[in-house]
Amino acid sequence: MTGTPPTASRVLHPPAGYRLAASVRALTFSPYDPCARIVAGTFWFATRTPDGPATLALHPEAGDLRAEGYGPGAGWVVERADAIAGLRDDVTGFAALAAAHPLVARLAREYRGVRMPATGLVFPRVLRAIFEQKVTGKEAYRAYAATVRHFREPAPGPLPLLLPPEPAAVAATPYWVFHPFGVEQRRAETLRRAAAVADRLERCVDAAEATRRLRAVPGIGPWTAAEVVRVAYGDPDAVSVGDYHVPNTVAWALAGEPRGDDARMLALLEPFRGHRGRVCVLLEAAGVQAPKYGPRAPIRSFARF
């Protein structure tokens, strides 16, 4: 992965204890994600920017983080590299809120190096989130990877990555093209509708506006909107209402209850308002899971939408 000089670069200075891999994991779908992955400790992120295609590489370097950009959009991704790495994540006031629960307080200390990224890019996360609706993680990844490869466009830079598909191309694609990827008409049409308004979604100034515009797209509900704004805007309060697992995880972690519904989850998270999504991120980072009953089942997202 040498021989291709970056178009732009800068050095970032993360806080003590910062964890790159754990912070950017939300930006990768699997170790084999065609658009983003961690290779030998370096995070690679291929995307479309307002200035054109780009690939960002984040290399740990003697306590610092070197950001290198490739392609026409290199300047854009390098300028936003600190946000993409989670270094603009504002944890002000969270320690005081975390003190309301001993487990959350402990996780806030132990995982203080895990920060929430903010890509500033909406549609790539919409693509993934729609494919995750009501299916297993394996099925969602298959649909996502097959779609990216169907619209195959190589990303700039030394690592062979692909760019997320162009929204206009997705919007113009008949729904039945997605069927061989395991995507039924409902999700395919939702994706096409979102792609058709991608320009308006990308112009949203904050998570609240993006949530409103996303929810106006038929087929996109609270779960999908929360999944998008948590990554695109780094929204620390975004809670994935409608998830199959998260209510159980929160109920178990915060109240010792093996099962919980959305209402119970939100009640337990209320003391952390402003950082409710961050609490869920910390529980996931720590591997907290509610007890499983019966035979082991495949991991599912099963979000309503």
Side-chain angles (χ1 to χ4, degrees):
M1 293 181 290
T2 60
T4 303
T7 309
S9 67
R10 64 186 284 214
V11 176
L12 309 175
H13 306 289
Y18 170 73
R19 304 186 192 183
L20 172 64
S23 297
V24 300
R25 189 163 291 123
L27 307 184
T28 66
F29 205 159
S30 86
Y32 312 103
D33 190 324
C35 301
R37 65 184 65 168
I38 297 172
V39 180
T42 295
F43 174 60
W44 296 85
F45 179 69
T47 191
R48 298 179 187 276
T49 79
D51 298 334
T55 296
L56 173 68
L58 294 173
H59 313 270
E61 190 176 82
D64 290 330
L65 201 59
R66 178 170 291 279
E68 297 179 340
Y70 302 83
W76 192 93
V77 292
V78 167
E79 191 278 329
R80 285 199 61 88
D82 56 339
I84 293 170
L87 301 182
R88 296 187 195 177
D89 183 19
D90 186 0
V91 296
T92 303
F94 180 58
L97 294 177
H101 192 284
L103 174 61
V104 178
R106 177 171 65 82
L107 295 183
R109 292 191 304 270
E110 293 180 359
Y111 292 88
R112 66 185 182 280
V114 177
R115 298 303 178 93
M116 297 179 65
T119 64
L121 300 162
V122 175
F123 185 71
R125 193 61 184 86
V126 169
L127 176 79
R128 172 177 161 179
I130 289 172
F131 285 150
E132 289 180 291
Q133 294 175 351
K134 294 187 176 181
V135 298
T136 66
K138 183 176 180 180
E139 291 166 330
Y141 176 74
R142 173 176 174 260
Y144 163 80
T147 298
V148 170
R149 293 184 178 115
H150 173 79
F151 293 99
R152 178 179 299 272
E153 185 174 343
L159 193 70
L161 295 174
L162 299 176
L163 293 167
E166 183 72 50
V170 173
T173 301
Y175 74 85
W176 46 262
V177 170
F178 298 94
H179 285 186
F181 311 152
V183 182
E184 80 290 347
Q185 183 175 355
R186 184 192 65 81
R187 282 185 298 156
E189 294 288 18
T190 298
L191 177 61
R192 294 176 68 246
R193 286 190 290 265
V197 297
D199 285 349
R200 278 183 282 168
L201 295 175
E202 299 291 358
R203 290 196 299 268
C204 294
V205 298
D206 56 25
E209 181 184 359
T211 297
R212 289 193 298 271
R213 290 196 177 188
L214 284 164
R215 293 289 303 274
V217 177
I220 291 183
W223 183 90
T224 304
E227 290 290 304
V228 172
V229 301
R230 187 166 53 249
V231 168
Y233 294 89
D235 184 352
D237 201 46
V239 181
S240 298
V241 173
D243 195 89
Y244 185 76
H245 289 292
V246 175
N248 296 336
T249 298
V250 170
W252 176 247
L254 302 187
E257 301 165 2
R259 293 293 178 266
D261 57 15
D262 285 332
R264 181 59 172 154
M265 172 182 69
L266 292 174
L268 290 168
L269 290 174
E270 184 57 30
F272 311 102
R273 178 170 287 276
H275 291 273
R276 295 176 300 171
R278 188 185 306 280
V279 172
C280 297
V281 167
L282 289 176
L283 294 175
E284 181 179 7
V288 176
Q289 293 182 330
K292 295 181 172 64
Y293 296 139
R296 182 177 296 276
I299 296 176
R300 295 175 180 265
S301 53
F302 276 123
R304 286 198 281 270
F305 60 85

